[in-house]
Amino acid sequence: MQPFSFSRVHNNREAINAITKENDAKFIGGGTNLVDLIKLGIENPKHIIDINALSLKQIENLPNGGVRIGALVRNSDLAYDETIRQRYPVLSQALLSGASPQLRNMATVGGNLLQRTRCPYFYDAVFPCNKRQPGSGCSAINGYNRSNAILGTSDHCIATHPSDMCVALTALDAIIHVQGVNGERAINITDFHLLPGQTPHIENILEKGDLITAVELPAMPFAQRSFYLKIRDRSSYEFALSSVAVALDVNGGTIGQARIALGGVGTKPWRNKEAEQALTGAAANRATYLSAADIAVKNARGYKYNNFKIELAKRTLVRALETTGGM
Amino acid sequence: MGKEKKYTPAEKIKYFPRRGTTRREFILTMTTAGTAFALAPKIGYAARQRGIPVFENVKLHLNINGAARNISIDPRVTLLDLLRENFSMHGTKKGCDHGQCGACTVLVNDRRVNACLILAATCENAEVTSIEGLAQGDKLHPMQEAFIKHDAFQCGYCTPGQICSAVGLVKEGHAKTDADIQELMSGNICRCGAYRNILAAVKEVQQNA
């Protein structure tokens, strides 16, 4: 590992001051992704700021019917929280489908939002990668791109966003709370992650000095009927080839409201509001689900080894809708 | 007889090595060391500004297997390396070193974690239990007994991690079926393939818990 200095902070203000003062500094929470990438020389922070002592570990019910989740809540604590299991089961299921129990005991909600891609070329420093080294080129576009994205890609990057949690949060319309140098702000999760475009190394809208403090789930009573379906090469401890988070409001065979987000196929957690509109007011049956699935992947672009994902994403969505809404 | 040559202090040390230390040299050494100690953070800061790597140790207080430990470490040291290299507890194994195999599993504040992906410096005031800390004197932990009884290993390399992980699984209390146990042990890989016997061992301890 490259050498770095280390400090501990004890409140939000101290954390923000510390990261603003240093060049190339990183916060560390669970460290499951960051330490791995430092070992590989892909992340090279000069300074690490331990934020584990901050008071960001609560899961609170809000007066407006929503839930506020502290950024340092561990993935396992969130997944097994009774409120989350009953009111937002899709989030619990998504978390439990990711990583291993040990990693979930370590990984934080805030860190999960900032997870880096698992594109094999990002991980292997021998190859050019625009995310790792801007301007060096993308090895995946003409390489072995079976795990790569089919939605939201650019000529500079086709890396898949790896998080399961973020797919559920996207379907649940989550709000990311951030505290920074100029105060606090709230960001909808669909605006939080950025498409690669010409700058794939810039993955989210956070600025220097920003600290993620919480994730808020708005009230969504129909999310009690929600589901996460993950398709992968082995049945456990593996990233998604395709995944779907669904929340459906079905009354007497008709869909009231619908939320769908796709994972494993996009350069960011993928929400398609047009597909949701196709479900709204329609009969809860296979024909409806198939037409929504066609819309969801309408703009998908397959590459040499991942073309199968277009059909796989459709089938994943249809099966998730059938499971949630009935046929 | 020629004039006696004048030697500089450095030459004196070079040409006339001496055992022991004069009072003057002792004071000089201590003063220099004291000044260096006082200046160290500033030198570190200056070096950092120039991009020169510096190693500033971090003070760490934690409890390992019931014993309080105070140590000053390089911030890059992982909890796994701290246990193995600093405290010679070689029970916890280094497998992949990237959080994929589970051989390094230990309990931190009673939760199972991958010691290879934890910077030890982040374990301030933590209670760490490794495989060495499970037995009570000569009496093995029930999970250790069960692994022996069910022959839940072959080469044994993954075993300390499997046992710590299984202890964590039982404490968590979320596994209801065989499939649950298998899923919740998926962070521990056994290349000898002792999975069926591991399942039997975990199940037995869970039923007796």
Side-chain angles (χ1 to χ4, degrees):
Chain A
M1 271 189 246
Q2 296 250 353
F4 51 78
S5 50
F6 182 92
S7 63
R8 301 184 182 111
V9 291
H10 302 91
N11 58 57
N12 296 0
R13 182 46 55 194
E14 221 184 302
I16 292 160
N17 288 345
I19 204 154
T20 310
K21 194 178 68 187
E22 301 278 350
N23 287 323
D24 297 325
K26 289 261 179 194
F27 290 135
I28 193 163
T32 54
N33 197 201
L34 181 61
V35 175
D36 189 21
L37 291 170
I38 293 174
K39 284 186 180 187
L40 293 165
I42 295 166
E43 292 271 15
N44 292 298
K46 298 278 189 296
H47 186 71
I48 298 262
I49 301 161
D50 182 1
I51 56 168
N52 284 294
L54 303 192
S55 308
L56 304 172
K57 303 186 182 93
Q58 308 295 316
I59 302 173
E60 304 162 79
N61 286 306
L62 299 174
N64 65 12
V67 174
R68 186 182 167 103
I69 304 155
L72 285 174
V73 171
R74 308 288 151 169
N75 283 190
S76 51
D77 293 332
L78 184 58
Y80 291 117
D81 181 84
E82 255 334 290
T83 302
I84 301 299
R85 291 175 93 160
Q86 284 172 17
R87 288 165 51 192
Y88 306 97
V90 65
L91 177 56
S92 178
Q93 293 164 12
L95 286 160
L96 292 176
S97 76
S100 69
Q102 290 97 316
L103 292 166
R104 295 195 292 266
N105 277 344
M106 301 158 70
T108 63
V109 168
N112 196 322
L113 288 167
L114 303 177
Q115 231 187 121
R116 315 275 330 253
T117 184
R118 297 281 162 167
C119 175
Y121 299 103
F122 173 74
Y123 255 73
D124 191 339
V126 167
F127 291 92
C129 168
N130 286 324
K131 249 190 208 307
R132 188 165 25 77
Q133 205 180 348
S136 61
C138 174
S139 303
I141 288 174
N142 295 311
Y144 186 62
N145 43 35
R146 182 172 178 271
S147 69
N148 289 78
I150 53 172
L151 289 162
T153 57
S154 76
D155 291 343
H156 303 271
C157 183
I158 60 169
T160 312
H161 195 275
S163 170
D164 293 299
M165 182 192 82
C166 292
V167 181
L169 291 183
T170 299
L172 295 172
D173 245 340
I175 308 291
I176 318 296
H177 288 275
V178 174
Q179 194 177 332
V181 182
N182 300 316
E184 297 179 23
R185 58 196 203 279
I187 304 156
N188 189 289
I189 187 158
T190 49
D191 301 324
F192 182 82
H193 297 104
L194 300 175
L195 290 173
Q198 296 189 12
T199 53
H201 58 290
I202 303 170
E203 296 177 350
N204 57 62
I205 66 162
L206 292 183
E207 289 162 14
K208 184 166 174 160
D210 281 346
L211 171 74
I212 300 171
T213 54
V215 171
E216 182 184 332
L217 304 179
M220 195 184 280
F222 69 91
Q224 281 182 21
R225 196 166 183 168
S226 65
F227 177 58
Y228 190 71
L229 177 62
K230 181 172 177 178
I231 307 298
R232 45 188 160 173
D233 281 334
R234 36 170 208 257
S235 63
S236 182
Y237 202 5
E238 176 63 292
F239 291 91
L241 283 171
S242 161
S243 72
V244 169
V246 175
L248 275 189
D249 175 22
V250 183
N251 283 307
T254 304
I255 300 167
Q257 295 184 69
R259 295 280 187 284
I260 50 179
L262 309 186
V265 290
T267 51
K268 61 183 258 183
W270 203 258
R271 181 156 175 202
N272 186 319
K273 291 192 179 174
E274 211 186 320
E276 288 175 3
Q277 278 156 18
L279 293 167
T280 308
N285 61 35
R286 189 174 170 83
T288 302
Y289 305 151
L290 279 167
S291 64
D294 280 334
I295 295 168
V297 298
K298 194 174 61 181
N299 297 319
R301 176 185 170 187
Y303 295 81
K304 187 173 177 186
Y305 295 99
N306 74 354
N307 209 37
F308 72 98
K309 281 193 175 186
I310 298 174
E311 183 61 25
L312 183 64
K314 280 166 64 175
R315 292 185 188 186
T316 314
L317 179 54
V318 170
R319 178 148 47 114
L321 287 166
E322 283 175 347
T323 308
T324 320
M327 296 176 67
Chain B
M1 229 166 91
K3 201 181 165 190
E4 193 184 330
K5 184 176 171 14
K6 291 275 183 205
Y7 290 101
T8 64
E11 285 171 326
K12 274 190 190 167
I13 292 167
K14 189 177 174 190
Y15 297 124
F16 308 104
R18 214 179 35 222
R19 286 179 189 280
T21 311
T22 65
R23 185 168 170 275
R24 179 184 298 265
E25 284 164 354
F26 175 77
I27 291 167
L28 182 69
T29 309
M30 294 317 285
T31 313
T32 312
T35 311
F37 190 72
L39 280 174
K42 293 190 175 66
I43 292 167
Y45 178 75
R48 241 191 348 266
Q49 297 302 75
R50 293 199 192 90
I52 302 164
V54 283
F55 299 83
E56 291 174 60
N57 276 9
V58 180
K59 286 201 176 106
L60 177 64
H61 312 85
L62 76 174
N63 185 301
I64 301 174
N65 297 326
R69 305 280 191 168
N70 298 318
I71 189 169
S72 175
I73 52 160
D74 185 315
R76 296 172 298 170
V77 172
T78 61
L79 179 59
L80 172 61
D81 287 335
L82 183 84
L83 292 170
R84 293 182 56 88
E85 309 300 331
N86 295 75
F87 295 119
S88 297
M89 295 180 187
H90 300 127
T92 308
K93 296 292 184 278
K94 185 176 279 196
C96 69
D97 210 23
H98 287 279
Q100 296 169 8
C101 76
C104 67
T105 304
V106 296
L107 301 161
V108 173
N109 299 329
D110 264 355
R111 295 157 69 103
R112 51 179 164 155
V113 293
N114 297 119
C116 74
L117 289 184
I118 296 179
L119 295 181
T122 64
C123 294
E124 178 73 353
N125 299 323
E127 290 199 10
V128 179
T129 306
S130 68
I131 189 75
E132 291 91 343
L134 288 179
Q136 302 282 330
D138 287 341
K139 194 177 174 341
L140 292 180
H141 186 282
M143 194 63 78
Q144 291 172 307
E145 294 280 12
F147 266 65
I148 295 168
K149 179 179 164 191
H150 291 279
D151 206 10
F153 49 83
Q154 185 177 305
C155 82
Y157 195 82
C158 73
T159 311
Q162 297 276 4
I163 290 175
C164 286
S165 187
V167 169
L169 179 150
V170 172
K171 277 192 179 135
E172 288 158 13
H174 300 302
K176 308 283 180 240
T177 63
D178 286 9
D180 288 346
I181 295 175
Q182 286 171 316
E183 166 61 28
L184 293 174
M185 286 297 290
S186 66
N188 293 82
I189 292 170
C190 169
R191 291 298 73 165
C192 301
Y195 294 115
R196 293 173 69 92
N197 298 359
I198 292 169
L199 172 64
V202 177
K203 213 166 136 178
E204 183 176 286
V205 176
Q206 197 188 32
Q207 282 162 357
N208 296 338

